[in-house]
Amino acid sequence: MQKIPLFQKIITCTLAGLVIGAAVLRICFTFIRAWLPIRMITIVPALLLAAAVIYAVIWSVRKTNNPATLAFWQGALRYGVAFDLATFGWEKLFHFQFVVPLSKLDLPFNSFSSQDLFWAFFSHSYPLGCMIAGCQIMGAMLLLFSRTRLAGVFVLLPVLANILLMDIFYQIGTTVVIHASIMMAGVLYFLFIEFDRLKAFFFAAKDQLPSLPISQYFKTAVRLSIIYIPLLLIAMREKPDRDPQLMGKYEVKQMTVNQQVLNPSSCEDSILTRVYFDIKNGCVFEFNTTQRRWYGIYKKKGDQLEIKWASTGKPVFTGVMSPVNPSGNIALTGVLGNDSMKMILQKTNN
């Protein structure tokens, strides 16, 4: 009978306890959270994890090497991962995930948190959600059969890696990241136990493709060209942020038109309230609402500024701009059609 290493016993049992506990905890949160306090809900997965760890210790102390015991814990681990991911997949298909309230979708884009942006992006396309769900369900099913277990691992790994990275960088939540990390660890376990097979397949197997009879140095240069040619092309392109000091969003703090002082906080649609100096010399004048905007391109030479609008019929703005001071203020004086304008702009961070 082949000896089962001590670390394999401990890792297998612990991972199985973590995966099953995490899956049970999520189901409990979904269905019985309204009737039981969170502390009581967490008792069940905690007991499952404790039981798995205790069994791993007992198994190690007894020094038994029954392969059926290892198969049981590996089967429990496989089922826990498969059940959890398949559940997520079915929830996507039946609109229990990737759903955002309609009222939130009407809010300004910059008011969204990173979590709201994440859900809004994925809720936009139901077919994309179905494709992700299909990968989760198919990978879960493949993981449950011995002959297709490795195929299931290869299906689930990129899905889980993508989910985990988005959970981290979109700040979905600490508990969500922990949950995804546990499932990722469960899938990686079945990848690592196949290390010898994978090593033989990827590195020891003979290459069946014919080789070109050319210099190895030339081949290396061609291979490296995917690095230096794109970098050279990027270096030749003009940067989209052509004026980084000026670029930004500005609130109109003071406004004078034809020597008449206007109140920027007024609700009138004709009052200029925001100015955007954007990438590729884009410029936007916003008149109290996002529905009333003038889009154009600005040219700046020294302190001289000229703005031509994309829509025909709108007068060109020409004027003089002061440098951006340390507090982010700009004084802009010029002419828009027949109107003389003078304004103080304050740079904002949101």
Side-chain angles (χ1 to χ4, degrees):
M1 185 179 296
Q2 186 177 3
K3 183 178 179 181
I4 302 172
L6 173 63
F7 73 91
Q8 187 176 9
K9 295 178 181 179
I10 295 175
I11 290 176
T12 304
C13 293
T14 304
L15 270 179
L18 281 170
V19 166
I20 295 174
V24 170
L25 182 63
R26 195 175 74 84
I27 296 298
C28 291
F29 271 4
T30 303
F31 292 100
I32 63 175
R33 189 176 182 179
W35 295 282
L36 292 177
I38 295 178
R39 288 185 178 180
M40 291 188 65
I41 292 175
T42 56
I43 290 176
V44 176
L47 289 175
L48 289 171
L49 176 59
V53 173
I54 291 171
Y55 188 89
V57 174
I58 296 173
W59 189 13
S60 303
V61 171
R62 288 184 175 180
K63 298 181 180 180
T64 58
N65 295 292
N66 188 353
T69 305
L70 180 62
F72 168 80
W73 285 103
Q74 288 181 340
L77 176 56
R78 276 196 290 169
Y79 183 81
V81 173
F83 180 86
D84 189 75
L85 293 178
T87 303
F88 274 117
W90 290 114
E91 287 178 353
K92 290 179 179 67
L93 292 178
F94 289 97
H95 299 283
F96 287 101
Q97 273 199 324
F98 297 165
V99 179
V100 179
L102 294 177
S103 59
K104 184 167 286 188
L105 293 177
D106 284 338
L107 294 174
F109 184 76
N110 65 358
S111 69
F112 277 29
S113 65
S114 57
Q115 185 174 355
D116 291 335
L117 286 173
F118 174 86
W119 290 115
F121 173 80
F122 281 101
S123 68
H124 181 73
S125 175
Y126 178 67
L128 174 62
C130 290
M131 291 180 65
I132 298 172
C135 290
Q136 289 177 309
I137 296 170
M138 180 180 67
M141 288 299 299
L142 291 172
L143 193 66
L144 292 176
F145 296 92
S146 298
R147 291 190 177 184
T148 59
R149 181 181 62 228
L150 195 55
V153 169
F154 285 127
V155 171
L156 293 176
L157 266 182
V159 175
L160 273 171
N162 197 25
I163 290 172
L164 180 58
L165 290 175
M166 288 189 293
D167 287 344
I168 293 172
F169 293 108
Y170 278 87
Q171 301 171 357
I172 304 301
T174 304
T175 56
V176 177
V177 172
I178 293 173
H179 186 99
S181 300
I182 291 173
M183 297 304 156
M184 173 65 87
V187 174
L188 286 174
Y189 171 88
F190 292 104
L191 182 71
F192 290 142
I193 64 175
E194 301 288 355
F195 177 78
D196 292 335
R197 286 175 60 191
L198 293 172
K199 181 181 177 182
F201 178 80
F202 286 107
F203 301 106
K206 185 178 179 181
D207 189 3
Q208 300 297 321
L209 294 177
S211 179
L212 286 173
I214 56 178
S215 168
Q216 188 64 35
Y217 293 106
F218 181 76
K219 290 182 181 180
T220 303
V222 172
R223 290 163 182 160
L224 292 177
S225 67
I226 66 169
I227 298 175
Y228 61 79
I229 291 181
L231 289 177
L232 180 62
L233 294 174
I234 289 173
M236 294 169 60
R237 292 183 62 180
E238 185 178 8
K239 292 184 178 180
D241 187 2
R242 299 168 186 172
D243 197 342
Q245 187 178 9
L246 177 62
M247 180 177 168
K249 171 184 172 182
Y250 295 83
E251 299 282 350
V252 178
K253 293 300 181 182
Q254 297 179 25
M255 183 75 177
T256 303
V257 178
N258 297 328
Q259 299 183 349
Q260 181 181 357
V261 178
L262 302 180
N263 183 9
S265 61
S266 171
C267 295
E268 296 180 25
D269 290 344
S270 59
I271 301 297
L272 180 64
T273 52
R274 288 190 182 94
V275 176
Y276 298 82
F277 293 103
D278 219 328
I279 59 173
K280 297 182 179 180
N281 284 18
C283 183
V284 178
F285 277 12
E286 181 177 305
F287 298 88
N288 236 326
T289 173
T290 55
Q291 280 72 42
R292 289 182 56 84
R293 284 184 167 189
W294 290 13
Y295 293 88
I297 300 294
Y298 74 87
K299 292 182 180 179
K300 185 172 177 287
K301 188 175 182 180
D303 60 353
Q304 301 294 316
L305 181 70
E306 180 185 77
I307 306 172
K308 292 183 178 180
W309 308 105
S311 300
T312 57
K314 289 184 171 62
V316 176
F317 177 89
T318 56
V320 178
M321 172 185 289
S322 69
V324 181
N325 64 23
S327 61
N329 289 339
I330 295 176
L332 185 60
T333 305
V335 177
L336 181 64
N338 297 323
D339 298 322
S340 62
M341 304 178 69
K342 184 176 182 180
M343 64 188 85
I344 302 297
L345 307 179
Q346 172 67 55
K347 196 170 190 178
T348 62
N349 295 322
N350 56 3

